Amino acid sequence: MTRGALAYATGAAILLLAGASRAAETGPPALRWGGDAEGGAPFVEADPADPSKLRGFDVEIANLVARKLGRTPAFVQVAFQSLDQSAARGDFDLGLSGIEDTPSRRAALAVTVPYYEFREVLTVRVADSGQFHRLADLRGRRVGTLAGTIAWDALAAAAKTDGVVPVSYDDDVHPYEDLAKGRLDAVLLDHVLAARSVRRVAGLATQPETIATGRYVAILGKENAALRDRIDAILLDAMRDGTLKRIFEEWKVWDEDQAAFEEKIETEISPPPSSPSKKIFSSSSLSLVVSYLPSLLKASLVTITLSCLAMALAVVLGVCIASGRVYGNAAVRAVLTVYVEVTRGTPVLLQLFVLYYGLSSVVRLPAFVAALLGLGLNYAAYESEIYRGALEAVPKGQLEAARTLGLTEGQVLRLVRGPQAFRLALAPMTNDFVALLKDSSLVSVVTVVELTKQTAIFATNIASWAVPGALCAALYLAMSLPLARLARRLEGRWRAAST
């Protein structure tokens, strides 16, 4: 190839690349839509045949909206409990994942017209289907549901009027599994979820009575009202031309109630809220904040009780493990070293799951006991390393002097080595207790409603984390600061005694 031909070919290649780049830049813009694919069927889930793809009726609605808008759908994974906050932050353009239509959500976000009406129904074991028909039949019984939902509000109200015991879950899979295993007496959730779970878990039956009704909507940031209005038009057109019906029929969630809902929805729709938007924190919201204070204080009591008991267990086990590693034979030291490394090397969240769900076929631990054991066993590994280091930091000369005076090894540990080691370990022990206090927020995954979980429920109900988050932080500080002050006083007293 001559120099001139080479220059011509190079120039042509550059032009082609530039053209391709311009074509990419002028392609359809993305419609970022958020949802939770974790256990999200039939709303949003990974396709079992190809996990890189999504399926579900909300996936098809998102694709429909994107197509009508001339945009390309791009999925953004967001935890269900965080969808509202992510929409407000602008993490995505459109949120779809079985999101319920609530007054607080409409006050905080731009919400589309409802596109599906669901019923809250009770699911019970088949053997109990003749006994439990309504919430009033479940006095003193444990009823599970998702926190921060219409069903949770119904259970909270029934706890006062009918004496039911609400149990909070983070997903819609474990409540039905726990019901089948006897940990729950009933589950209250959307009929869409109930129908799917009854097919999946044997021995369950759904009662026909409707406890409450609700509607699914899509959400956008408050500033996206114009886009919301365009999506409203697309959803209404899809109802009129039967597109939504075909989607719901494909996912087996279409019924006569849904047909009646689509007939009446247009007459119910009020004009878009171009009128002044409602303030998130109105006087009624402030009264709601006050009404939640007793629940937050009760959850704080759960947090501090659980943390103290778990720390006590961790200290006792930690002392035993540290003593075994210092004084035990080779076999004992090897076993204890394996325990410490395995426990420290795996997440406490995983350990909680294994204790509560993984071992349920062998032993069905109550949720609080599983949380106590999970935190106590995990922190025992860390405490043991602190105590082992403190024991080995005591000068050997002191130990030899004690033995020379005729003290036994037990007396040396109890009277000489132990007190000095404990003084050295006090500061890191205090630090660990504060860390455990905060890690106790993880136990909500095994249905224990502690302070952080109760705060999340609170924040969902008022569609804001500002006030609930500040209250939660203040309560954690109120619990941890006195502990740190007490530890400093003990350190100072022992330091003065030793000088």
Side-chain angles (χ1 to χ4, degrees), residues 114-369:
Y115 60 84
Y116 191 88
E117 187 169 82
F118 61 88
R119 296 177 288 111
E120 301 287 8
V121 294
L122 276 176
T123 301
V124 299
R125 288 181 289 276
V126 171
D128 296 331
S129 58
Q131 182 181 1
F132 303 137
H133 300 278
R134 299 171 295 276
L135 290 176
D137 300 330
L138 289 156
R139 178 172 294 276
R141 304 281 184 167
R142 290 164 56 85
V143 184
T145 191
L146 287 169
T149 59
I150 293 174
W152 175 261
D153 292 340
L155 284 186
K160 299 175 182 175
T161 58
D162 300 319
V164 302
V165 181
V167 180
S168 163
Y169 284 83
D170 288 337
D171 64 88
D172 57 73
V173 176
H174 287 112
Y176 292 99
E177 293 180 351
D178 280 358
L179 174 62
K181 293 173 181 174
R183 278 176 165 159
L184 296 176
D185 297 295
V187 173
L188 180 65
L189 274 173
D190 311 0
H191 77 275
V192 173
L193 299 171
R196 172 175 169 267
S197 299
V198 167
R199 291 194 296 269
R200 181 173 53 84
V201 182
L204 303 183
T206 297
Q207 299 292 25
E209 287 83 0
T210 298
I211 306 299
T213 58
R215 294 170 175 180
Y216 296 140
V217 292
I219 56 173
L220 302 88
K222 197 74 174 176
E223 68 281 3
N224 288 334
L227 177 59
R228 185 271 317 275
D229 294 344
R230 294 178 65 190
I231 294 174
D232 280 353
I234 292 171
L235 291 174
L236 291 172
D237 285 344
M239 291 182 195
R240 296 185 192 108
D241 65 17
T243 303
L244 280 184
K245 178 182 178 182
R246 285 193 293 276
I247 291 174
F248 293 141
E249 283 179 335
E250 180 182 349
W251 287 96
K252 297 181 174 55
V253 294
W254 178 266
D255 55 23
E256 294 179 355
D257 292 340
Q258 184 64 18
F261 161 72
E262 290 198 356
E263 288 180 2
K264 67 184 179 184
I265 186 61
E266 287 197 63
T267 60
E268 289 185 5
I269 296 172
S270 58
S274 54
S275 53
S277 58
K278 188 167 59 176
K279 289 183 179 179
I280 295 176
F281 286 103
S282 60
S283 58
S284 60
S285 297
L286 288 175
S287 64
L288 186 62
V289 170
V290 174
S291 70
Y292 263 92
L293 278 177
S295 299
L296 290 176
L297 293 174
K298 182 180 177 182
S300 300
L301 185 62
V302 173
T303 293
I304 194 66
T305 303
L306 175 64
S307 300
C308 289
L309 292 176
M311 192 64 193
L313 176 62
V315 168
V316 172
L317 290 178
V319 168
C320 295
I321 295 170
S323 301
R325 295 191 67 184
V326 172
Y327 292 100
N329 57 33
V332 171
R333 290 200 300 272
V335 170
L336 294 176
T337 300
V338 169
Y339 172 80
V340 170
E341 296 304 328
V342 170
T343 306
R344 290 195 310 177
T346 53
V348 65
L349 193 62
L350 174 64
Q351 294 162 13
L352 288 168
F353 269 118
V354 171
L355 277 171
Y356 190 68
Y357 296 113
L359 299 180
S360 61
S361 59
V362 180
V363 55
R364 292 177 189 173
L365 295 171
F368 188 87
V369 174

